[in-house]
Amino acid sequence: MDFNKELSMQACPVSFVMNKIGGHWKPIILYQLMSGPKRYSELKRAIPTITEKMLIQHLKQLQADGLVDRHAEPVVPPYVIYKFSDRGESIKPVLNAIAKWGYEQWSADNI
Amino acid sequence: MDFNKELSMQACPVSFVMNKIGGHWKPIILYQLMSGPKRYSELKRAIPTITEKMLIQHLKQLQADGLVDRHAEPVVPPYVIYKFSDRGESIKPVLNAIAKWGYEQWSADNI
DNA sequence: ACAAGTACTTACCCTTAAGTAAGCAAGCGT
DNA sequence: ACGCTTGCTTACTTAAGGGTAAGTACTTGT
């Protein structure tokens, strides 16, 4: 059950991080936010294959994990921007290291 | 379907890496292998909650992705060791960076 | 009065990942 | 002859993640 998952996160710091930034959509969302704050509709347009359900679900999770801040202007139509929190900023180097390795390997695969 | 997954991996290098080292068990297996080559039964004992099915399945996937090498001695009972390949070695710094951030954040959560 | 835009929410289904449990091969010690 | 060990494999079941499609609130423009 979830018991094993909890145990893994305590025993393996890499698992802990994967739970925060892993999965199908979170890397893509974070990658988009790395180029600066974006509003909801911008993210939606930037990631055409994502459904609204997945987008909002993962944005909420990223917020709950303290990686992303949400700021809503009380106007109509709504204006909501998402951006890295301070804690989120601290993971950018890690994401860049991952992306760098990924890009190198991707190139190596395609020679 | 898988089409979207393929697309993501091309569009987002972080997703590409997550596909190689993400998921529930792969981080834990890799973390164990970082302390040196291990035989199948050692891994099994080091990760008590993993099932043999999952262990072998992910070891095979890691092999297929070229991150892990398998070496079998033709003896009985079988003697099989798993270790990082050359390509696998190149991801160790990334895994360490992930683990370091994870450990820091884990501490921050528990103050 | 009504369509359009923005940021969601909800209910339902379907595919993928993971867990359960059993079996197999091949020799070695007793 | 029999059980033991090691490294797997297979069939079946269950839980999780993701996709589809519809609806909501609130206001501006026509």
Side-chain angles (χ1 to χ4, degrees), chain A residues 9-27:
Chain A
M9 283 176 62
Q10 280 166 29
C12 177
V14 183
S15 284
F16 175 84
V17 178
M18 290 300 161
N19 266 283
K20 307 255 176 235
I21 64 168
H24 190 25
W25 293 114
K26 274 192 258 175

Side-chain angles (χ1 to χ4, degrees), chain B residues 16-102:
Chain B
F16 174 83
V17 178
M18 290 301 160
N19 266 283
K20 307 257 177 231
I21 65 167
H24 191 23
W25 292 113
K26 275 193 259 175
I28 301 171
I29 296 170
L30 291 170
Y31 194 67
Q32 287 299 325
L33 287 178
M34 281 182 74
S35 56
K38 295 227 163 31
R39 56 189 297 201
Y40 179 82
S41 53
E42 283 182 289
L43 287 170
K44 212 173 73 177
R45 250 174 286 123
I47 314 171
T49 53
I50 201 172
T51 63
E52 296 196 83
K53 182 192 164 194
M54 283 298 109
L55 181 53
I56 202 76
Q57 185 180 109
H58 290 298
L59 282 171
K60 277 185 177 177
Q61 189 59 56
L62 290 167
Q63 266 184 88
D65 288 336
L67 293 177
V68 162
D69 281 340
R70 186 190 109 113
H71 178 73
E73 295 285 342
V75 293
V76 169
Y79 188 90
V80 180
I81 59 168
Y82 290 92
K83 59 178 188 129
F84 274 91
S85 68
D86 288 349
R87 179 179 286 195
E89 290 290 334
S90 75
I91 209 185
K92 274 191 182 184
V94 177
L95 287 172
N96 275 320
I98 295 172
K100 182 165 174 287
W101 186 86

Side-chain angles (χ1 to χ4, degrees), chain A residues 2 5 24-25 51 53-54 58 76:
Chain A
D2 264 6
K5 205 164 189 175
H24 190 25
W25 293 114
T51 62
K53 180 194 165 193
M54 285 296 109
H58 289 114
V76 169

Side-chain angles (χ1 to χ4, degrees), chain A residues 28-71:
Chain A
I28 302 171
I29 295 170
L30 291 170
Y31 194 67
Q32 289 298 325
L33 287 179
M34 281 182 73
S35 56
K38 296 228 162 29
R39 57 189 295 201
Y40 178 82
S41 54
E42 283 182 289
L43 286 170
K44 211 173 74 178
R45 251 172 285 124
I47 313 171
T49 53
I50 202 172
T51 62
E52 296 194 86
K53 180 194 165 193
M54 285 296 109
L55 181 54
I56 203 77
Q57 185 178 111
H58 289 114
L59 282 171
K60 277 184 178 178
Q61 189 59 58
L62 290 167
Q63 267 184 88
D65 288 336
L67 293 177
V68 163
D69 281 340
R70 185 190 110 114
H71 178 75

